[in-house]
Amino acid sequence: MRTSQLAIDQIKIFEGYKDKTYLDSVGKPTIGYGHTLNVKDGMTCTPEVAEGWLKDDITPCELAIERLIHIPLTQGQFDACSDFAFNLGIGKFSGSTLLVLIKKGDMHGASLEFPKWDLVGGKVSDWQVKRRSWDQKRFLGLI
C-alpha cells in the first residue's frame, strides 16, 4: 500500500513549502515539504522537486508500516499512520501504544491515541493538534 495523493496533499499543507533551506523546530536544516536528508545551507528547490523528495521521504514510513502491521488496513488508516510516522519519526511510531492497539485490531482504541501526540518542544502545539485531528479523522474514515 502507498500513501494516497489526498494524504500527500495534506502533508504538504501541514509541512508548508519552503523553496530555501531553513532550520526546523529542532534546528535541523530543512527544505521543501519537510525534507531533511543531505540538506545544506543555501539550497533551493521548486515545488515539483519538493514533492518528489516528500514522496521519497515517505517511502521508509510506508515500508515500516508494512513491516510492523500484519493485519489489513484501510487506505485512511494507512494514510494516518504514514503521516504520523513521517511527522514524528518511525521510531516513535514503532514504540507507540497506537501501534500496539492497531496490531491487536483495536482500531477505536488506536484512534484515541492520535490526540495524545500534540507536543512540540514539550509544549502543546496548535498545529500538532490540527495535524493529529486530521490523522484521527482519516484513520476513522471520516475524511
Side-chain angles (χ1 to χ4, degrees), residues 1-5 7-8 54-56 58-60 62-63 66 75 78-79 82:
M1 189 172 269
R2 298 290 309 220
T3 306
S4 71
Q5 190 62 47
I8 296 284
L54 175 59
K55 289 178 179 180
D56 290 345
I58 288 174
T59 298
E62 295 167 338
L63 295 172
E66 290 175 358
Q75 184 66 58
F78 189 90
D79 286 347
S82 183

Side-chain angles (χ1 to χ4, degrees), residues 116-130:
K116 296 177 182 179
W117 294 85
D118 61 359
L119 303 179
V120 173
K123 297 179 182 178
V124 173
S125 160
D126 289 343
W127 199 243
Q128 283 296 80
V129 169
K130 289 176 186 172

Side-chain angles (χ1 to χ4, degrees), residues 49-128:
V49 167
E51 183 166 338
W53 285 338
L54 175 59
K55 289 178 179 180
D56 290 345
D57 293 342
I58 288 174
T59 298
C61 300
E62 295 167 338
L63 295 172
I65 293 164
E66 290 175 358
R67 184 180 75 251
L68 294 166
I69 300 173
H70 303 289
I71 62 171
L73 296 176
T74 66
Q75 184 66 58
Q77 291 165 340
F78 189 90
D79 286 347
C81 291
S82 183
D83 180 49
F84 184 98
F86 176 75
N87 178 231
L88 298 167
I90 293 168
K92 287 185 179 172
F93 176 71
S94 65
S96 69
T97 303
L98 169 67
L99 178 60
V100 169
L101 293 170
I102 291 170
K103 288 171 123 178
K104 289 181 179 179
D106 182 0
M107 298 309 184
H108 175 73
S111 74
L112 298 176
E113 292 297 307
F114 287 104
K116 296 177 182 179
W117 294 85
D118 61 359
L119 303 179
V120 173
K123 297 179 182 178
V124 173
S125 160
D126 289 343
W127 199 243
Q128 283 296 80

